[in-house]
């Protein structure tokens, strides 16, 4: 079936069960060591694989929606509606490595690895509290791992993804149908990120398969890819700032590094006191309203946030009383929403303003 970013196309069949039996959760609150109030939404698990994670997005009305996998291996969404948490499974299959976003019409778009045994790159939409059909974007074996999604100012969808079977990066866009650029750059099994620049060109980061260096690629208007190797690191993330410059953030053994570019000239510097376990997904959010940068990171199973506003970086441990993994993040109206797995089997969520954190 056809996928249209701004609407859900009705079909006569649905290989994603529409779920006539949503489950009402019994959430519990707890106090983090930072004083924030966390919520345990229910039980969950993380699929096996490096940097496996949950995902969270806010719909236009401000309701958090978390993509997760339950202990039985069935993936679904947990969302808050009138202060009640509800879970809706997709159907009897996995949705690993999720990237989830809502468009301005309130339609959620999920990009994911379809799970064992094929691990295709797939898409499903969520609207009116129901899942639409699953669409395969790339049916090659093992290509759904490590993906990222960016929706540009014109509503065009851009996806970067890693292919395990060929150890290469892929890129997909949606116009009247999915267009896939397969296997265009050697890459390691690591995070990949995508954004667009002021010219509307897709910019992607990955870790180069041969050198272990962070690699920046831009999709030129003639369809070719231009690449530049940067510094050795893992967990690369890319964003576009409001002045048109690009920002790349990544992880080294000594800590998190970040830098901006002008005409392909990159300048990187360490973020003081910010460290991250490369086996966990690094979350970086940029707020164009005030030019602030917000990072969620995990080290020694503790969850941290590092934020920059006005030129100064500040790192805060959100909680040191439990073990955290699988962190997902979203930024909405200046507030950070974080989804996570707590102590290996609890699906959790916390929302906070970076300006309200303790010193």
């Amino acid at each position: 079936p056809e996928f249209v970013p701004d609407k859900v196309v009705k079909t006569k069949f649905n290989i994603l069960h529409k779920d006539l039996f949503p489950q009402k959760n019994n959430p519990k609150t707890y106090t983090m060591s930072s004083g924030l109030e966390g919520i345990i939404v229910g039980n969950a698990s993380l699929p096996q694989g490096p940097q496996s994670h949950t995902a969270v997005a806010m719909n236009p009305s401000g309701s958090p929606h978390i993509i997760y996998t339950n202990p039985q291996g069935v993936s679904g969404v947990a969302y808050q509606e009138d202060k009640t948490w509800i879970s809706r499974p997709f159907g009897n299959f996995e949705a690993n490595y999720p990237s989830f976003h809502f468009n301005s019409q309130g339609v959620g778009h999920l990009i994911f690895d379809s799970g064992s045994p094929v691990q295709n790159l797939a898409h499903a939409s969520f609207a009116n509290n129901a899942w639409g059909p699953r669409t395969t974007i790339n049916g090659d074996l093992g290509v759904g791992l490590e993906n990222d999604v960016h929706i540009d100012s014109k509503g065009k969808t851009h996806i970067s993804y890693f292919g395990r079977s060929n150890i290469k990066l892929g890129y997909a866009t949606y116009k009247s149908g999915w267009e896939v650029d397969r296997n265009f750059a050697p890459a390691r099994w690591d995070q990949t990120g995508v954004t667009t620049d002021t010219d509307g060109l897709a910019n992607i980061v990955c870790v180069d398969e041969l050198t272990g260096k962070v690699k920046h690629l831009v999709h030129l208007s003639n369809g070719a890819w231009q690449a530049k190797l940067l510094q050795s690191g893992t967990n690369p993330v890319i964003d576009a700032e409001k002045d048109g410059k690009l920002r790349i953030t990544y992880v080294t053994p000594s800590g998190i590094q970040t830098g901006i570019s002008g005409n392909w000239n990159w300048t990187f510097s360490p973020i003081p006191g910010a460290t991250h376990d490369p086996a966990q997904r690094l979350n970086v959010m940029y707020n164009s309203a005030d030019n602030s940068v917000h990072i969620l990171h995990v080290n020694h199973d503790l969850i941290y946030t590092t934020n920059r506003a006005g030129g100064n970086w500040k790192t805060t441990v959100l909680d040191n009383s439990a073990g955290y993994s699988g962190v997902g993040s979203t930024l909405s109206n200046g507030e950070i929403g974080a989804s996570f797995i707590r102590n290996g089997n609890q699906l959790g969520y916390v929302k906070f303003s970076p300006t309200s954190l303790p010193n």
Side-chain angles (χ1 to χ4, degrees):
E2 185 183 11
F3 158 62
V4 178
D6 289 335
K7 65 180 181 179
V8 176
V9 178
K10 295 182 179 180
T11 60
K12 294 182 179 179
F13 64 94
N14 191 342
I15 59 174
L16 283 178
H17 298 172
K18 215 167 188 179
D19 181 31
L20 302 178
F21 305 102
Q23 303 166 358
K24 184 177 179 180
N25 295 72
N26 184 26
K28 298 178 180 178
T29 61
Y30 70 101
T31 302
M32 294 180 158
S33 61
S34 61
L36 297 175
E37 182 179 87
I39 299 173
I40 302 301
V41 179
N43 294 326
S45 62
L46 274 178
Q48 292 184 349
Q51 301 170 353
S52 182
H53 58 91
T54 61
V56 60
M58 294 283 188
N59 70 5
S61 64
S63 171
H65 288 60
I66 302 173
I67 306 298
Y68 75 103
T69 300
N70 70 17
Q72 290 74 43
V74 176
S75 300
V77 60
Y79 59 94
Q80 194 174 28
E81 188 176 82
D82 298 327
K83 297 184 179 181
T84 299
W85 281 91
I86 298 171
S87 294
R88 287 181 179 270
F90 302 162
N92 190 25
F93 72 93
E94 302 169 75
N96 303 331
Y97 293 94
S99 295
F100 192 46
H101 299 271
F102 280 96
N103 64 18
S104 58
Q105 286 73 38
V107 178
H109 292 292
L110 174 67
I111 306 298
F112 60 99
D113 157 36
S114 62
S116 299
V118 291
Q119 296 176 320
N120 298 150
L121 182 71
H123 166 269
S125 58
F126 184 77
N128 300 319
N129 293 336
W131 286 104
R134 177 178 62 177
T135 301
T136 298
I137 300 172
N138 186 339
D140 294 347
L141 180 65
V143 298
L145 307 167
E146 300 286 10
N147 61 76
D148 188 43
V149 179
H150 172 70
I151 301 174
D152 66 22
S153 59
K154 296 181 179 180
K156 184 178 178 181
T157 301
H158 305 260
I159 303 172
S160 62
Y161 61 92
F162 169 75
R164 185 181 65 174
S165 59
N166 51 33
I167 318 297
K168 289 187 177 180
L169 200 66
Y171 170 67
T173 56
Y174 187 90
K175 293 181 180 178
S176 58
W178 285 109
E179 296 182 3
V180 179
D181 190 348
R182 291 173 168 84
N183 314 331
F184 67 86
R188 292 188 179 181
W189 187 343
D190 207 320
Q191 280 185 239
T192 175
V194 60
T195 192
T196 50
D197 57 26
T198 53
D199 296 321
L201 302 177
N203 285 253
I204 293 178
V205 288
C206 67
V207 177
D208 183 62
E209 194 268 334
L210 296 176
T211 64
K213 293 183 176 181
V214 174
K215 180 161 55 178
H216 172 212
L217 303 106
V218 60
H219 197 208
L220 303 177
S221 56
N222 63 5
W225 288 94
Q226 182 177 348
K228 184 174 184 177
L229 290 175
L230 304 176
Q231 301 179 8
S232 296
T234 62
N235 308 79
V237 182
I238 189 168
D239 283 295
E241 301 199 345
K242 65 179 181 180
D243 61 4
K245 292 182 178 179
L246 299 174
R247 174 177 294 276
I248 291 178
T249 307
Y250 63 96
V251 176
T252 70
S254 60
I256 300 175
Q257 303 267 338
T258 191
I260 58 175
S261 75
N263 298 321
W264 277 73
N265 295 315
W266 286 94
T267 301
F268 292 97
S269 59
I271 300 176
T275 55
H276 180 72
D277 178 359
Q280 301 282 347
R281 184 177 177 85
L282 181 68
N283 291 265
V284 183
M285 298 153 283
Y286 173 71
N287 188 353
S288 60
D290 59 4
N291 205 36
S292 58
V293 182
H294 310 281
I295 304 173
L296 283 172
H297 48 113
V298 175
N299 198 38
H300 299 297
D301 296 330
L302 304 184
I303 184 170
Y304 295 82
T305 182
T306 294
N307 303 279
R308 190 210 66 185
N312 297 315
W313 292 98
K314 175 185 174 183
T315 296
T316 304
V317 57
L318 295 181
D319 194 23
N320 59 15
S321 65
Y324 288 85
S325 59
V327 177
S329 67
T330 187
L331 183 67
S332 177
N333 297 321
E335 291 189 315
I336 296 173
S339 59
F340 46 79
I341 302 299
R342 182 177 183 266
N343 289 335
N345 60 5
Q346 297 174 325
L347 177 65
Y349 176 75
V350 65
K351 184 175 74 170
F352 62 93
S353 170
T355 58
S356 66
L357 294 170
N359 295 320

